[in-house]
Amino acid sequence: MAVNKILAFLLLMISCNLYFCQDVTIKDDKVLLDGKQILKAEKINVTQYSFFSMKNDEEVLLYRYMDNETPSYVSDDYFILNFLTEKVKIESTDIGKIANFMNSKKGMEKLVKWLLKERVINHDGELNADRVAIFKDKYNENITERTLR
């Protein structure tokens, strides 16, 4: 009896992990979720990416990595997520959420997975305004407002 309960619990855990396991890839400037294109991507340079809506080709998200004008000192580095259509800017030092050194495309794939997990974007690539606001409350650190220049 106890073995059946443990087995049922393990199967439930595995099925939940498989449900949330999404294959996000960026290939040929297309953001693919389980093989279906949800966004268009454009690599501006090593530190900037833009993401565009599939509906109207409008830029919805701009990612920028900032070294805080200290290239040799990485402890003060941060990234900016600018949700252009929602007019929301998020600055965070939590580089671990998207870090993938030497391959910015893999880092952007991690970013899209993170946004999907937080339900900021849905499976069709559309922004959820309410979730963007919650995302901002959770992760925004207002770095430029706190920094003396």
Side-chain angles (χ1 to χ4, degrees):
M1 184 72 136
V3 173
N4 288 340
K5 288 182 181 179
I6 292 173
L7 184 60
F9 177 74
L10 289 175
L11 288 174
L12 177 66
M13 295 299 292
I14 291 170
S15 65
C16 286
N17 284 338
L18 291 175
Y19 175 75
F20 291 113
C21 181
Q22 299 164 339
D23 182 35
V24 175
T25 55
I26 297 176
K27 186 175 182 180
D28 300 327
D29 292 337
K30 298 175 183 173
V31 179
L32 305 171
L33 174 63
D34 297 327
K36 175 189 166 200
Q37 184 177 0
I38 61 169
L39 294 168
K40 296 175 188 174
E42 178 185 340
K43 182 178 183 177
I44 299 167
N45 58 39
V46 177
T47 62
Q48 290 185 345
Y49 255 88
S50 285
F51 296 92
F52 299 87
S53 168
M54 291 296 296
K55 282 186 176 179
N56 53 13
D57 219 22
E58 185 176 13
E59 187 176 12
V60 293
L61 174 62
L62 173 68
Y63 163 85
R64 281 191 301 163
Y65 178 80
M66 301 295 287
D67 67 2
N68 216 6
E69 300 174 3
T70 56
S72 60
Y73 184 69
V74 296
S75 293
D76 64 345
D77 294 357
Y78 64 98
F79 63 89
I80 300 169
L81 296 176
N82 197 347
F83 296 95
L84 300 166
T85 55
E86 299 299 321
K87 296 178 178 44
V88 172
K89 185 187 233 183
I90 297 168
E91 301 171 332
S92 177
T93 57
D94 194 1
I95 304 293
K97 295 278 190 197
I98 57 172
N100 195 320
F101 298 105
M102 306 304 286
N103 189 343
S104 61
K105 184 172 78 169
K106 291 292 184 192
M108 292 304 97
E109 290 170 357
K110 285 178 72 175
L111 170 64
V112 172
K113 284 181 184 179
W114 182 30
L115 295 175
L116 283 165
K117 180 181 177 200
E118 294 283 341
R119 295 179 294 157
V120 172
I121 58 175
N122 64 19
H123 295 289
D124 295 323
E126 298 169 355
L127 288 178
N128 179 337
D130 295 334
R131 295 301 301 179
V132 170
I134 292 169
F135 189 80
K136 181 179 180 181
D137 289 341
K138 285 174 73 173
Y139 298 107
N140 189 32
E141 298 176 33
N142 293 321
I143 295 165
T144 53
E145 290 178 13
R146 295 184 296 121
T147 306
L148 295 175
R149 298 233 175 227

